[in-house]
């Protein structure tokens, strides 16, 4: 990991967004996952993705929301309760309303492009998040820009782990 990236990940707090909210520093597990995703991309001939404080802010808010108000019924892990920060959003497996999720980075962190999320839940101790996503065709395609994601170039990534949830946000714009 290069020194600039390590410095960004190790800082104690970053001020971002119009609300001047702090982004919590990455835990060791989050730093590891960030590096693992970039190493996996490199092994697939893809460039590393830069750290995004804005997308990290969205990831931290969403991971907290999932942990506090787990989705229920037809709403999956890309859903938002509306009880923490941001508007409620019920994202369903038929993908009929992707905008409610894709626009969260703009709503919560003044990120001017859409954001795209992968999310997972795992209750085992020290889960291997990346392996879990690699086994899922849809999630893996997001990470390595395949399928419907092949024409997008990820230039920003933020993530958060709040057991039992982990979320990663990808964007096409550096912040």
């Amino acid at each position: 990991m290069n020194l600039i990236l390590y410095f960004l990940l190790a800082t104690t707090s970053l001020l971002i967004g119009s609300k001047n909210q702090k982004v919590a520093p990455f835990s060791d597990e989050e730093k590891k996952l960030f590096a693992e995703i970039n190493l996996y991309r490199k092994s697939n001939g893809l460039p590393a993705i830069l750290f995004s404080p804005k997308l990290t802010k969205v990831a931290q808010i969403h991971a907290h929301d999932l942990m506090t108000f787990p989705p229920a019924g037809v709403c999956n892990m890309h859903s938002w309760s509306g009880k923490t920060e941001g508007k409620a959003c019920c994202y369903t497996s038929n993908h009929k309303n992707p905008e409610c999720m894709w626009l969260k980075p703009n709503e919560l962190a003044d990120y001017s492009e859409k954001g795209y999320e992968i999310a997972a839940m795992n209750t085992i101790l020290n889960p291997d998040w990346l392996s879990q996503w690699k086994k899922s065709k849809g999630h893996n395609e997001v990470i390595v820009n395949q399928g419907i994601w092949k024409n997008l170039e990820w230039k920003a990534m933020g993530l958060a782990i709040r057991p039992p949830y982990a979320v990663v946000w990808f964007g096409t714009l550096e912040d």
Side-chain angles (χ1 to χ4, degrees):
M1 187 179 316
N2 73 40
L3 288 174
I4 294 171
L5 176 60
Y6 182 78
F7 173 76
L8 284 173
L9 297 177
T11 55
T12 56
S13 66
L14 297 168
L15 296 175
I16 61 166
S18 61
K19 296 177 184 175
N20 206 30
Q21 294 178 322
K22 291 185 177 183
V23 173
F26 268 6
S27 68
D28 289 343
E29 184 181 15
E30 290 166 328
K31 290 176 193 175
K32 178 182 174 211
L33 179 57
F34 190 92
E36 287 174 341
I37 290 171
N38 275 320
L39 287 171
Y40 177 55
R41 286 179 54 80
K42 184 178 179 181
S43 75
N44 281 275
L46 297 166
I49 306 170
L50 296 175
F51 170 76
S52 167
K54 290 181 179 185
L55 294 178
T56 296
K57 174 183 175 182
V58 176
Q60 290 176 351
I61 293 169
H62 194 211
H64 175 74
D65 188 66
L66 287 168
M67 184 181 69
T68 308
F69 301 100
V74 298
C75 302
N76 67 25
M77 282 187 281
H78 300 300
S79 300
W80 295 66
S81 71
K83 296 176 183 175
T84 56
E85 294 184 52
K87 299 173 191 164
C89 165
C90 180
Y91 193 97
T92 58
S93 59
N94 65 9
H95 309 287
K96 293 273 186 191
N97 187 20
E99 298 289 325
C100 80
M101 184 257 291
W102 292 347
L103 297 176
K104 286 296 179 183
N106 182 269
E107 176 188 341
L108 298 170
D110 296 325
Y111 187 78
S112 60
E113 294 288 329
K114 292 177 181 175
Y116 306 94
E117 179 188 54
I118 59 174
M121 184 180 109
N122 200 319
T123 57
I124 67 168
L125 188 61
N126 300 317
D128 185 344
W129 300 107
L130 182 57
S131 289
Q132 189 171 339
W133 285 314
K134 286 166 63 174
K135 292 175 187 171
S136 164
K137 183 179 186 289
H139 292 100
N140 189 63
E141 286 180 347
V142 174
I143 297 168
V144 294
N145 296 98
Q146 293 177 348
I148 65 170
W149 312 103
K150 68 182 177 187
N151 294 322
L152 295 176
E153 181 182 348
W154 302 141
K155 294 186 178 181
M157 178 173 54
L159 61 87
I161 299 171
R162 301 293 183 272
Y165 297 98
V167 297
V168 181
W169 282 83
F170 299 91
T172 59
L173 180 71
E174 295 177 32
D175 44 296

